Amino acid sequence: MKRLFALLIGAVIALAALCTAPAAATAATTGFSVSGGRILDANGTEFVPQGINHAHVWYPSQTGSFAAIRAAGANSVRVVISGGRYGTTSAAEVTSVISQCKENQLVCILENHDTTGYGEDAAAGTLAAAAQYWTSVKQALIGQEKYVMINLGNEPFGNAGYQNWTSATISAIQTLRTAGLTHMLIADAPNWGQDWSFTMRDNAATVAAADGNTVFSVHMYGVFDTAAEVRAYIDSFRSRGLPLMVGEFGIDHSDGNPDEATIMSYTRSTGIGMLGWSWSGNSGGVEYLDMANGFNASSLTPWGERFINGADGLKARSPQVASVFGTGGGTGGGTAPNGYPYCVSAASDPDGDGWGWENSRSCVVRASGGTAPNGYPYCVSAASDPDGDGWGWENSRSCVVR
């Protein structure tokens, strides 16, 4: 999400010449992988990222946002961090962010915001510098491949110098691979993420040939103000077997009115990942992009209501969590929404606080009523959770089924 947005480019998207992305040799990973243009999790189960962006770097104290985003129905969260432009997110803080994602069964998409608008914004950093940041915090990343995707750099070029996107992206990928980072990588488009020049669209196959575990991310704002443009761009990747997600989009924008209805419906029907911008904290005239007023999950904005509760929104989609988090069920065993295992026996919780101790670690005791460790009430009835994702709806708010 850029602070100053480029002018709307009145370009009509045309399909690129069809071709099949060649297979690429990529470092072996124990985490997410690409197969046939689709994302697979570590268990080989297809995973479609569907979630919300969270501006962590500017609001590091808003840790409750992770549980709130999960309660909204998301299975992933794109987290804004920084390698220096907005203060440096340390390895310890990266570890903390990943932990909060995992506690809430959210796949953690970490994005370095330093590169936003490079070539046009003098304060922006290069993809090469972003790659060096990722290697500097690799101790927090290695071992988390099942739960983390690395978004190389947010909107890495503005509307100047974007012709270098392909070579800069490949070079950044190589830096991470050489450092031993085998995670799924996400490459944002240039032109403030909107790729009106079709630079990413037309060169994605080249990047995929260099690294077969990279997903491409387009940000859909004013450039994508018609259904035809949205569908044509998505189809250009699907037809070539190239993995794509819509990493950001909103209900309105300073550069035009994006067609959020088509973005939401078409990503849903085609199985393409999508993450809305953003949970809360926008400023500079784009406050309408907040989904929650003042980080309050009980006070959704019009955009929040649309994205979460509207047609093709998170509640309607009911995204499946990554299979690596496991599932609950029965009277014991499985994994609770906060990432801890359910206790096999309620006797593991002698003080009745909802937490037990089994197999040398904490576990969650299933019960009815009360408050879960993540601050949400426990559901009185398991029938409140018809889709079996561990979250129910009672008394006009989300509750945890256990």
Side-chain angles (χ1 to χ4, degrees):
M1 176 67 181
K2 53 191 178 296
R3 296 292 179 170
L4 296 174
F5 296 93
L7 295 177
L8 172 64
I9 306 299
V12 177
I13 294 181
L15 288 174
L18 300 182
C19 64
T20 301
T26 305
T29 181
T30 57
F32 292 95
S33 60
V34 172
S35 177
R38 298 295 185 181
I39 296 172
L40 305 181
D41 68 17
N43 292 330
T45 302
E46 183 174 357
F47 179 75
V48 181
Q50 298 164 87
I52 298 172
N53 285 265
H54 172 47
H56 169 80
V57 73
W58 296 298
Y59 303 99
S61 66
Q62 295 293 341
T63 54
S65 296
F66 293 92
I69 289 170
R70 177 69 188 99
N75 67 7
S76 50
V77 58
R78 184 170 178 261
V79 186
V80 181
I81 61 177
S82 175
R85 182 177 179 182
Y86 304 103
T88 301
T89 306
S90 68
E93 190 174 359
V94 170
T95 296
S96 177
V97 167
I98 294 172
S99 177
Q100 291 170 80
C101 289
K102 291 166 67 177
E103 285 175 8
N104 291 284
Q105 293 191 316
L106 292 167
V107 169
C108 213
I109 301 174
L110 300 174
E111 65 101 336
N112 186 334
H113 217 73
D114 295 0
T115 56
T116 309
Y118 178 74
E120 189 171 349
D121 187 335
T126 63
L127 273 173
Q132 290 302 319
Y133 167 73
W134 291 119
T135 64
S136 76
V137 296
K138 70 177 185 179
Q139 66 268 38
L141 299 169
I142 291 177
Q144 303 299 325
E145 295 84 359
K146 294 181 180 179
Y147 312 101
V148 173
M149 301 179 189
I150 300 174
N151 198 159
L152 295 168
N154 183 67
E155 300 177 359
F157 289 90
N159 294 320
Y162 58 83
Q163 298 84 352
N164 297 316
W165 176 87
T166 306
S167 59
T169 298
I170 291 174
S171 180
I173 291 170
Q174 291 173 340
T175 296
L176 269 66
R177 296 306 189 210
T178 299
L181 294 169
T182 63
H183 304 66
M184 172 168 284
L185 303 179
I186 298 174
D188 273 12
N191 309 130
W192 300 97
Q194 297 201 74
D195 202 27
W196 60 260
S197 65
F198 304 140
T199 299
M200 183 173 81
R201 185 198 70 180
D202 294 346
N203 293 281
T206 300
V207 175
D211 187 272
N213 201 23
T214 297
V215 175
F216 303 96
S217 175
V218 64
H219 296 177
M220 291 187 167
Y221 292 104
V223 169
F224 294 90
D225 58 355
T226 69
E229 290 168 327
V230 171
R231 291 171 180 153
Y233 195 89
I234 291 173
D235 287 345
S236 71
F237 281 77
R238 293 178 61 236
S239 65
R240 294 176 288 159
L242 293 168
L244 178 72
M245 69 171 64
V246 179
E248 288 185 20
F249 71 103
I251 196 170
D252 198 1
H253 220 291
S254 53
D255 66 349
N257 186 6
D259 185 355
E260 76 280 353
T262 300
I263 295 168
M264 294 170 73
S265 65
Y266 204 57
T267 55
R268 184 182 185 184
S269 65
T270 56
I272 297 295
M274 65 98 203
L275 296 102
W277 184 280
S278 70
W279 182 241
S280 196
N282 288 283
S283 60
V286 294
E287 289 84 357
Y288 51 79
L289 289 173
D290 282 0
M291 295 185 185
N293 290 302
F295 293 93
N296 183 356
S298 298
S299 179
L300 296 181
T301 67
W303 174 218
E305 286 287 353
R306 174 71 184 88
F307 185 82
I308 295 168
N309 298 315
D312 301 302
L314 290 180
K315 295 296 186 182
R317 301 163 85 108
S318 188
Q320 293 298 304
V321 299
S323 70
V324 293
F325 289 115
T327 57
T331 58
T335 304
N338 60 11
Y340 285 85
Y342 284 117
C343 302
V344 174
S345 171
S348 303
D349 177 27
D351 61 0
D353 68 348
W355 289 93
W357 186 262
E358 294 178 354
N359 299 316
S360 300
R361 68 167 298 184
S362 294
C363 57
V364 175
V365 179
R366 296 177 187 268
S368 62
T371 302
N374 61 8
Y376 285 84
Y378 285 118
C379 301
V380 174
S381 172
S384 303
D385 176 28
D387 61 2
D389 69 348
W391 290 91
W393 186 261
E394 294 178 354
N395 300 316
S396 300
R397 69 166 297 182
S398 295
C399 57
V400 176
V401 177
R402 68 171 186 171

